[in-house]
Amino acid sequence: MLTLPPSSPTHRLVFSEVSGVQRSLRIAAFGDTRSRELFNASGWLQSVGWSPSGEHIAMVHVDTTGGRESARVAFQRVSASGEPVGDLHYVSERSGSWWNLRWLPDGRGVLANGLDGNVWLFPVDQREKAVCLTQDESEAVFEFVLAPDGRHIVYPRSMPRGSSIWMVDLGEIPELARR
């Protein structure tokens, strides 16, 4: 797994390396044949991605110790030189799964789907608590799309015994955009 920070001045990449039951998260600069370990943990890492500023890495750590799998969303802060700043910081409760991590454009946190059928916001700031964004929905939400400005999410809704067909009138789109 390789991920690149969107606008990193140092052009760094982060990847997961497997050694037995251990996974390590490693960082390297483009053009450098050496990489450095940021941390290692048992289990596996998934949905690893850089914040828009390249200052944090978000991931799902699936811990497999004790024969049971439990997933948690975590952040690792990284210095401009590529060194870990502080320890891995877990921001979610243990769950069977977390997926679809999406950074907010301003880098204040990530959104994720949870096995509870909700979309959650996990702030980077350790003083802030996670927020369930879809707790009032009567149906589970297992996927979503984040608007480019980060102000809205869109998600499909199940409709028991039927569905909806939506029509969008494209007549107001400028002629130039239709070409």
Side-chain angles (χ1 to χ4, degrees):
M1 157 191 9
L2 296 174
T3 62
L4 312 173
S7 59
S8 172
T10 57
H11 304 298
R12 300 175 294 180
L13 60 96
V14 65
F15 60 96
S16 176
E17 184 176 71
V18 181
S19 175
V21 296
Q22 292 285 321
R23 291 276 172 139
S24 64
L25 191 65
R26 303 189 68 82
I27 188 169
F30 288 121
D32 193 346
T33 58
R34 297 165 291 146
S35 65
R36 261 190 314 242
E37 184 177 278
L38 291 172
F39 69 88
N40 69 51
S42 66
W44 14 285
L45 305 170
Q46 56 192 33
S47 300
V48 177
W50 288 99
S51 66
S53 68
E55 183 179 353
H56 289 92
I57 300 168
M59 72 207 74
V60 174
H61 173 216
V62 180
D63 189 357
T64 57
T65 56
R68 298 185 82 188
E69 290 184 4
S70 64
R72 292 191 289 173
V73 177
F75 294 119
Q76 176 65 58
R77 188 167 179 204
V78 180
S79 71
S81 64
E83 297 292 329
V85 177
D87 293 328
L88 186 66
H89 171 62
Y90 291 98
V91 294
S92 73
E93 297 294 322
R94 292 180 185 271
S95 174
S97 184
W98 294 100
W99 68 92
N100 200 17
L101 266 63
R102 298 286 182 259
W103 276 100
L104 294 174
D106 61 9
R108 289 181 303 120
V110 296
L111 300 177
N113 282 104
L115 203 53
D116 65 352
N118 285 301
V119 178
W120 288 80
L121 166 62
F122 297 106
V124 171
D125 187 336
Q126 295 181 25
R127 298 169 296 189
E128 296 180 31
K129 294 193 181 290
V131 177
C132 180
L133 301 177
T134 56
Q135 65 187 357
D136 295 332
E137 288 295 336
S138 58
E139 300 290 326
V141 177
F142 288 112
E143 59 184 76
F144 69 91
V145 176
L146 177 65
D149 65 2
R151 296 181 59 213
H152 301 90
I153 61 171
V154 176
Y155 51 90
R157 289 271 326 256
S158 304
M159 302 201 59
R161 298 184 319 172
S163 60
S164 297
I165 298 175
W166 292 83
M167 181 178 72
V168 176
D169 183 357
L170 300 177
E172 295 195 24
I173 296 181
E175 182 68 27
L176 184 59
R178 283 193 237 160
R179 294 183 197 162

mmCIF file of all heavy atoms in Angstrom, residues 139-167:
data_model
loop_
_atom_site.group_PDB
_atom_site.id
_atom_site.type_symbol
_atom_site.label_atom_id
_atom_site.label_comp_id
_atom_site.label_asym_id
_atom_site.label_seq_id
_atom_site.Cartn_x
_atom_site.Cartn_y
_atom_site.Cartn_z
ATOM 1 N N GLU A 139 -32.160 4.120 8.576
ATOM 2 C CA GLU A 139 -31.491 3.031 7.854
ATOM 3 C C GLU A 139 -29.982 3.198 7.988
ATOM 4 O O GLU A 139 -29.477 4.303 8.173
ATOM 5 C CB GLU A 139 -31.877 3.061 6.372
ATOM 6 C CG GLU A 139 -33.352 2.908 6.108
ATOM 7 C CD GLU A 139 -33.861 1.519 6.418
ATOM 8 O OE1 GLU A 139 -33.111 0.547 6.223
ATOM 9 O OE2 GLU A 139 -35.012 1.403 6.863
ATOM 10 N N ALA A 140 -29.260 2.106 7.859
ATOM 11 C CA ALA A 140 -27.797 2.135 7.940
ATOM 12 C C ALA A 140 -27.197 2.879 6.747
ATOM 13 O O ALA A 140 -27.740 2.845 5.642
ATOM 14 C CB ALA A 140 -27.258 0.711 7.998
ATOM 15 N N VAL A 141 -26.097 3.548 6.986
ATOM 16 C CA VAL A 141 -25.349 4.260 5.946
ATOM 17 C C VAL A 141 -23.986 3.574 5.835
ATOM 18 O O VAL A 141 -23.169 3.682 6.739
ATOM 19 C CB VAL A 141 -25.168 5.758 6.305
ATOM 20 C CG1 VAL A 141 -24.339 6.459 5.250
ATOM 21 C CG2 VAL A 141 -26.521 6.425 6.490
ATOM 22 N N PHE A 142 -23.760 2.866 4.728
ATOM 23 C CA PHE A 142 -22.524 2.113 4.588
ATOM 24 C C PHE A 142 -21.586 2.674 3.528
ATOM 25 O O PHE A 142 -20.565 2.078 3.228
ATOM 26 C CB PHE A 142 -22.817 0.638 4.311
ATOM 27 C CG PHE A 142 -23.345 -0.077 5.530
ATOM 28 C CD1 PHE A 142 -24.644 -0.535 5.566
ATOM 29 C CD2 PHE A 142 -22.542 -0.256 6.639
ATOM 30 C CE1 PHE A 142 -25.134 -1.194 6.683
ATOM 31 C CE2 PHE A 142 -23.015 -0.909 7.763
ATOM 32 C CZ PHE A 142 -24.313 -1.375 7.787
ATOM 33 N N GLU A 143 -21.937 3.808 2.944
ATOM 34 C CA GLU A 143 -21.037 4.495 2.018
ATOM 35 C C GLU A 143 -21.455 5.947 1.938
ATOM 36 O O GLU A 143 -22.595 6.294 2.244
ATOM 37 C CB GLU A 143 -21.034 3.840 0.641
ATOM 38 C CG GLU A 143 -22.403 3.799 -0.022
ATOM 39 C CD GLU A 143 -22.377 3.055 -1.338
ATOM 40 O OE1 GLU A 143 -22.335 1.822 -1.312
ATOM 41 O OE2 GLU A 143 -22.409 3.739 -2.373
ATOM 42 N N PHE A 144 -20.520 6.807 1.572
ATOM 43 C CA PHE A 144 -20.812 8.227 1.438
ATOM 44 C C PHE A 144 -19.775 8.851 0.517
ATOM 45 O O PHE A 144 -18.731 8.263 0.245
ATOM 46 C CB PHE A 144 -20.803 8.949 2.797
ATOM 47 C CG PHE A 144 -19.432 9.052 3.412
ATOM 48 C CD1 PHE A 144 -18.617 10.154 3.178
ATOM 49 C CD2 PHE A 144 -18.942 8.036 4.206
ATOM 50 C CE1 PHE A 144 -17.361 10.232 3.727
ATOM 51 C CE2 PHE A 144 -17.687 8.102 4.766
ATOM 52 C CZ PHE A 144 -16.888 9.211 4.525
ATOM 53 N N VAL A 145 -20.084 10.045 0.042
ATOM 54 C CA VAL A 145 -19.156 10.843 -0.751
ATOM 55 C C VAL A 145 -19.050 12.195 -0.071
ATOM 56 O O VAL A 145 -20.065 12.786 0.315
ATOM 57 C CB VAL A 145 -19.647 11.005 -2.214
ATOM 58 C CG1 VAL A 145 -18.737 11.922 -3.000
ATOM 59 C CG2 VAL A 145 -19.773 9.648 -2.883
ATOM 60 N N LEU A 146 -17.837 12.681 0.085
ATOM 61 C CA LEU A 146 -17.582 13.986 0.692
ATOM 62 C C LEU A 146 -17.519 15.046 -0.397
ATOM 63 O O LEU A 146 -16.829 14.866 -1.404
ATOM 64 C CB LEU A 146 -16.254 13.938 1.463
ATOM 65 C CG LEU A 146 -15.763 15.220 2.105
ATOM 66 C CD1 LEU A 146 -16.712 15.680 3.206
ATOM 67 C CD2 LEU A 146 -14.358 15.011 2.674
ATOM 68 N N ALA A 147 -18.255 16.153 -0.209
ATOM 69 C CA ALA A 147 -18.212 17.256 -1.168
ATOM 70 C C ALA A 147 -16.797 17.851 -1.194
ATOM 71 O O ALA A 147 -16.100 17.830 -0.173
ATOM 72 C CB ALA A 147 -19.221 18.336 -0.778
ATOM 73 N N PRO A 148 -16.363 18.387 -2.329
ATOM 74 C CA PRO A 148 -15.006 18.940 -2.428
ATOM 75 C C PRO A 148 -14.700 20.025 -1.385
ATOM 76 O O PRO A 148 -13.565 20.129 -0.933
ATOM 77 C CB PRO A 148 -14.948 19.520 -3.850
ATOM 78 C CG PRO A 148 -15.943 18.715 -4.612
ATOM 79 C CD PRO A 148 -17.050 18.415 -3.628
ATOM 80 N N ASP A 149 -15.712 20.804 -0.994
ATOM 81 C CA ASP A 149 -15.455 21.845 0.003
ATOM 82 C C ASP A 149 -15.508 21.299 1.431
ATOM 83 O O ASP A 149 -15.240 22.006 2.394
ATOM 84 C CB ASP A 149 -16.424 23.016 -0.144
ATOM 85 C CG ASP A 149 -17.871 22.644 0.144
ATOM 86 O OD1 ASP A 149 -18.156 21.488 0.508
ATOM 87 O OD2 ASP A 149 -18.740 23.536 -0.003
ATOM 88 N N GLY A 150 -15.873 20.032 1.592
ATOM 89 C CA GLY A 150 -15.901 19.400 2.901
ATOM 90 C C GLY A 150 -17.085 19.790 3.770
ATOM 91 O O GLY A 150 -17.141 19.438 4.938
ATOM 92 N N ARG A 151 -18.069 20.483 3.207
ATOM 93 C CA ARG A 151 -19.196 20.953 4.009
ATOM 94 C C ARG A 151 -20.397 20.016 3.992
ATOM 95 O O ARG A 151 -21.294 20.158 4.804
ATOM 96 C CB ARG A 151 -19.612 22.343 3.530
ATOM 97 C CG ARG A 151 -18.500 23.375 3.768
ATOM 98 C CD ARG A 151 -18.886 24.762 3.340
ATOM 99 N NE ARG A 151 -20.070 25.186 4.070
ATOM 100 C CZ ARG A 151 -20.999 25.984 3.563
ATOM 101 N NH1 ARG A 151 -20.881 26.442 2.343
ATOM 102 N NH2 ARG A 151 -22.041 26.335 4.291
ATOM 103 N N HIS A 152 -20.423 19.075 3.067
ATOM 104 C CA HIS A 152 -21.566 18.167 2.943
ATOM 105 C C HIS A 152 -21.089 16.758 2.638
ATOM 106 O O HIS A 152 -20.024 16.574 2.063
ATOM 107 C CB HIS A 152 -22.500 18.622 1.813
ATOM 108 C CG HIS A 152 -23.045 19.989 1.997
ATOM 109 N ND1 HIS A 152 -22.412 21.112 1.529
ATOM 110 C CD2 HIS A 152 -24.168 20.414 2.617
ATOM 111 C CE1 HIS A 152 -23.125 22.175 1.844
ATOM 112 N NE2 HIS A 152 -24.191 21.780 2.510
ATOM 113 N N ILE A 153 -21.919 15.793 3.007
ATOM 114 C CA ILE A 153 -21.722 14.428 2.540
ATOM 115 C C ILE A 153 -23.008 13.998 1.842
ATOM 116 O O ILE A 153 -24.086 14.508 2.136
ATOM 117 C CB ILE A 153 -21.371 13.441 3.674
ATOM 118 C CG1 ILE A 153 -22.476 13.352 4.725
ATOM 119 C CG2 ILE A 153 -20.035 13.777 4.295
ATOM 120 C CD1 ILE A 153 -22.282 12.248 5.743
ATOM 121 N N VAL A 154 -22.856 13.100 0.905
ATOM 122 C CA VAL A 154 -23.991 12.531 0.185
ATOM 123 C C VAL A 154 -23.925 11.028 0.407
ATOM 124 O O VAL A 154 -22.852 10.435 0.355
ATOM 125 C CB VAL A 154 -23.899 12.850 -1.325
ATOM 126 C CG1 VAL A 154 -25.029 12.187 -2.088
ATOM 127 C CG2 VAL A 154 -23.885 14.344 -1.554
ATOM 128 N N TYR A 155 -25.086 10.428 0.686
ATOM 129 C CA TYR A 155 -25.113 8.993 0.884
ATOM 130 C C TYR A 155 -26.445 8.446 0.399
ATOM 131 O O TYR A 155 -27.453 9.130 0.404
ATOM 132 C CB TYR A 155 -24.873 8.619 2.354
ATOM 133 C CG TYR A 155 -25.749 9.348 3.335
ATOM 134 C CD1 TYR A 155 -26.985 8.837 3.711
ATOM 135 C CD2 TYR A 155 -25.330 10.547 3.893
ATOM 136 C CE1 TYR A 155 -27.780 9.499 4.620
ATOM 137 C CE2 TYR A 155 -26.120 11.218 4.807
ATOM 138 C CZ TYR A 155 -27.340 10.691 5.168
ATOM 139 O OH TYR A 155 -28.135 11.354 6.064
ATOM 140 N N PRO A 156 -26.428 7.185 -0.058
ATOM 141 C CA PRO A 156 -27.678 6.578 -0.538
ATOM 142 C C PRO A 156 -28.557 6.165 0.634
ATOM 143 O O PRO A 156 -28.064 5.890 1.729
ATOM 144 C CB PRO A 156 -27.196 5.347 -1.310
ATOM 145 C CG PRO A 156 -25.878 5.022 -0.714
ATOM 146 C CD PRO A 156 -25.291 6.315 -0.230
ATOM 147 N N ARG A 157 -29.840 6.156 0.399
ATOM 148 C CA ARG A 157 -30.803 5.720 1.417
ATOM 149 C C ARG A 157 -31.580 4.537 0.884
ATOM 150 O O ARG A 157 -32.044 4.541 -0.240
ATOM 151 C CB ARG A 157 -31.812 6.826 1.722
ATOM 152 C CG ARG A 157 -31.313 8.000 2.470
ATOM 153 C CD ARG A 157 -31.392 7.878 3.978
ATOM 154 N NE ARG A 157 -32.494 7.153 4.540
ATOM 155 C CZ ARG A 157 -33.555 7.703 5.124
ATOM 156 N NH1 ARG A 157 -33.669 8.990 5.198
ATOM 157 N NH2 ARG A 157 -34.495 6.953 5.654
ATOM 158 N N SER A 158 -31.731 3.541 1.715
ATOM 159 C CA SER A 158 -32.598 2.424 1.374
ATOM 160 C C SER A 158 -34.031 2.874 1.599
ATOM 161 O O SER A 158 -34.313 3.600 2.540
ATOM 162 C CB SER A 158 -32.337 1.234 2.286
ATOM 163 O OG SER A 158 -31.021 0.865 2.255
ATOM 164 N N MET A 159 -34.908 2.446 0.731
ATOM 165 C CA MET A 159 -36.314 2.771 0.903
ATOM 166 C C MET A 159 -37.085 1.470 0.888
ATOM 167 O O MET A 159 -37.241 0.860 -0.173
ATOM 168 C CB MET A 159 -36.781 3.716 -0.191
ATOM 169 C CG MET A 159 -35.957 4.990 -0.192
ATOM 170 S SD MET A 159 -36.710 6.384 -0.969
ATOM 171 C CE MET A 159 -38.187 6.630 -0.104
ATOM 172 N N PRO A 160 -37.542 0.992 2.053
ATOM 173 C CA PRO A 160 -38.283 -0.274 2.084
ATOM 174 C C PRO A 160 -39.486 -0.248 1.141
ATOM 175 O O PRO A 160 -40.178 0.767 1.035
ATOM 176 C CB PRO A 160 -38.731 -0.382 3.542
ATOM 177 C CG PRO A 160 -37.818 0.521 4.304
ATOM 178 C CD PRO A 160 -37.426 1.617 3.347
ATOM 179 N N ARG A 161 -39.673 -1.335 0.434
ATOM 180 C CA ARG A 161 -40.799 -1.516 -0.490
ATOM 181 C C ARG A 161 -40.858 -0.454 -1.581
ATOM 182 O O ARG A 161 -41.904 0.036 -1.932
ATOM 183 C CB ARG A 161 -42.112 -1.561 0.276
ATOM 184 C CG ARG A 161 -42.157 -2.718 1.232
ATOM 185 C CD ARG A 161 -43.457 -2.848 1.921
ATOM 186 N NE ARG A 161 -44.002 -1.555 2.322
ATOM 187 C CZ ARG A 161 -45.194 -1.385 2.808
ATOM 188 N NH1 ARG A 161 -45.982 -2.411 2.973
ATOM 189 N NH2 ARG A 161 -45.624 -0.202 3.171
ATOM 190 N N GLY A 162 -39.724 -0.066 -2.097
ATOM 191 C CA GLY A 162 -39.735 0.878 -3.202
ATOM 192 C C GLY A 162 -38.450 1.667 -3.278
ATOM 193 O O GLY A 162 -37.553 1.495 -2.480
ATOM 194 N N SER A 163 -38.379 2.520 -4.253
ATOM 195 C CA SER A 163 -37.212 3.362 -4.394
ATOM 196 C C SER A 163 -37.628 4.638 -5.109
ATOM 197 O O SER A 163 -38.770 4.794 -5.494
ATOM 198 C CB SER A 163 -36.115 2.634 -5.177
ATOM 199 O OG SER A 163 -36.600 2.290 -6.460
ATOM 200 N N SER A 164 -36.690 5.527 -5.263
ATOM 201 C CA SER A 164 -36.970 6.808 -5.915
ATOM 202 C C SER A 164 -36.133 6.939 -7.167
ATOM 203 O O SER A 164 -35.019 6.428 -7.232
ATOM 204 C CB SER A 164 -36.617 7.970 -4.985
ATOM 205 O OG SER A 164 -37.408 7.945 -3.841
ATOM 206 N N ILE A 165 -36.668 7.650 -8.115
ATOM 207 C CA ILE A 165 -35.902 8.037 -9.293
ATOM 208 C C ILE A 165 -35.842 9.551 -9.277
ATOM 209 O O ILE A 165 -36.871 10.230 -9.218
ATOM 210 C CB ILE A 165 -36.562 7.546 -10.595
ATOM 211 C CG1 ILE A 165 -36.615 6.019 -10.610
ATOM 212 C CG2 ILE A 165 -35.804 8.085 -11.802
ATOM 213 C CD1 ILE A 165 -37.354 5.444 -11.789
ATOM 214 N N TRP A 166 -34.645 10.079 -9.297
ATOM 215 C CA TRP A 166 -34.451 11.524 -9.241
ATOM 216 C C TRP A 166 -34.072 12.030 -10.613
ATOM 217 O O TRP A 166 -33.328 11.398 -11.342
ATOM 218 C CB TRP A 166 -33.339 11.859 -8.244
ATOM 219 C CG TRP A 166 -33.750 11.558 -6.845
ATOM 220 C CD1 TRP A 166 -33.700 10.349 -6.220
ATOM 221 C CD2 TRP A 166 -34.304 12.471 -5.915
ATOM 222 N NE1 TRP A 166 -34.184 10.446 -4.947
ATOM 223 C CE2 TRP A 166 -34.553 11.750 -4.725
ATOM 224 C CE3 TRP A 166 -34.609 13.825 -5.944
ATOM 225 C CZ2 TRP A 166 -35.091 12.336 -3.603
ATOM 226 C CZ3 TRP A 166 -35.137 14.406 -4.822
ATOM 227 C CH2 TRP A 166 -35.383 13.669 -3.666
ATOM 228 N N MET A 167 -34.581 13.193 -10.965
ATOM 229 C CA MET A 167 -34.240 13.812 -12.232
ATOM 230 C C MET A 167 -33.537 15.132 -11.951
ATOM 231 O O MET A 167 -33.969 15.903 -11.095
ATOM 232 C CB MET A 167 -35.508 14.097 -13.046
ATOM 233 C CG MET A 167 -35.202 14.727 -14.386
ATOM 234 S SD MET A 167 -36.687 15.015 -15.363
ATOM 235 C CE MET A 167 -37.421 16.376 -14.485
#
